[in-house]
Amino acid sequence: MLMTTQGPGLHTHVLDTLGLEIAAGEHPPGQVLRTDELAQRFDVSRTVVREVVRVLESMHLVESRRRVGVTVRPTEAWNVYDPQVIRWRLAGADRPRQLRSLTVLRSAIEPVAAGLAARNATPEQCAALTECALGMVATSRGQQLEGYLEHDIAFHRIVLNASGNEMFARLGDVVAEVLAGRTHHQVMFEDPDPAAVTLHVRLAEAVREGDAAAAERLTKEIAVGALHELDVLAP
């Protein structure tokens, strides 16, 4: 018997399960998923399935056509910048390649954003950036990776927002998923690299002092260090 409850817990469970399966290649491009079969599999109403399909369609993972069903789309069509898609891809076997791809993206974008932040950051943003850097220092020892992650994500969001470029700012969620994925999938040392922590402190200083060249250079060094970590931990 199908459940008629349509609470957020059911929706989230079905969405995460299908999203993870599609991202992992368990449903290859071109495979047709039947709404009634999905409802039976997950023991949910067709309404829940339709809501999940709409979300997956918005991410371009599937397309729904009458009298055909829900068809899995090729990887090239996916919205690879969607934070949830990133999370699902990082949870699969293709994690090393995905992490590298995203880290290379960061290395291309964040140095430019940091240079702009040095020119455009408000006093409030400079203060917040310094506070985050000090938080990273305080949590960089004793295997406090979750605390460190919180400060690290906030730090990079501030840099992107302080750039004054709304396109860069929108990448905050992408960067957050990359940083969270490294931590939650153990692609991090037990304690963060001291050199990387120091670079973040120096970057906060460069932004506060309005030194765009130094801010860009330091951010490039952070990116190079992140790529080196991937060479060691996720070859």
Side-chain angles (χ1 to χ4, degrees):
M1 180 177 178
L2 297 183
M3 299 172 63
T4 55
T5 306
Q6 299 177 36
L10 283 175
H11 179 278
T12 300
H13 169 67
V14 178
L15 178 62
D16 277 340
T17 302
L18 283 177
L20 285 165
E21 290 175 353
I22 292 171
E26 293 181 30
H27 303 294
Q31 180 176 344
V32 176
L33 307 175
R34 305 292 181 185
T35 300
D36 55 346
E37 292 176 0
L38 291 173
Q40 185 173 18
R41 173 191 170 188
F42 290 103
D43 196 19
V44 297
S45 69
R46 288 184 178 85
T47 301
V48 170
V49 173
R50 284 194 293 269
E51 289 173 354
V52 168
V53 167
R54 278 196 290 269
V55 176
L56 293 174
E57 280 187 296
S58 73
M59 300 171 177
H60 301 172
L61 267 65
V62 303
E63 62 178 347
S64 180
R65 298 174 60 186
R66 295 187 64 183
R67 292 190 291 276
V68 174
V70 179
T71 306
V72 178
R73 302 186 68 183
T75 309
E76 311 86 71
W78 297 357
N79 180 5
V80 293
Y81 290 103
D82 187 291
Q84 204 157 13
V85 174
I86 292 171
R87 196 177 314 141
W88 291 332
R89 297 183 79 187
L90 288 177
D94 201 31
R95 183 182 308 129
R97 190 178 68 85
Q98 174 72 352
L99 276 173
R100 184 168 298 279
S101 175
L102 290 163
T103 303
V104 170
L105 173 69
R106 290 182 58 200
S107 71
I109 297 298
E110 288 197 89
V112 178
L116 290 171
R119 298 184 181 96
N120 300 322
T122 65
E124 292 77 15
Q125 287 171 324
C126 289
L129 200 61
T130 299
E131 183 178 348
C132 288
L134 293 176
M136 293 173 72
V137 172
T139 54
S140 63
R141 286 291 175 269
Q143 299 179 29
Q144 303 180 69
L145 288 181
E146 285 297 331
Y148 183 86
L149 174 64
E150 181 179 347
H151 295 296
D152 197 13
I153 288 175
F155 184 98
H156 289 278
R157 282 192 188 278
I158 294 167
V159 170
L160 292 167
N161 288 329
S163 72
N165 183 299
E166 73 280 5
M167 303 297 287
F168 288 168
R170 288 297 300 273
L171 290 174
D173 289 342
V174 172
V175 173
E177 289 298 335
V178 179
L179 296 173
R182 287 172 51 196
T183 299
H184 296 152
H185 296 293
Q186 290 80 51
V187 192
M188 283 276 289
F189 296 112
E190 289 187 349
D191 285 325
D193 179 11
V197 179
T198 299
L199 286 171
H200 283 78
V201 173
R202 291 174 59 195
L203 174 55
E205 293 172 352
V207 171
R208 186 176 66 249
E209 293 168 2
D211 190 338
E216 188 165 344
R217 184 184 69 253
L218 290 164
T219 308
K220 286 180 180 177
E221 290 185 42
I222 291 171
V224 168
L227 284 168
H228 176 67
E229 282 191 10
L230 291 181
D231 289 337
V232 174
L233 299 172

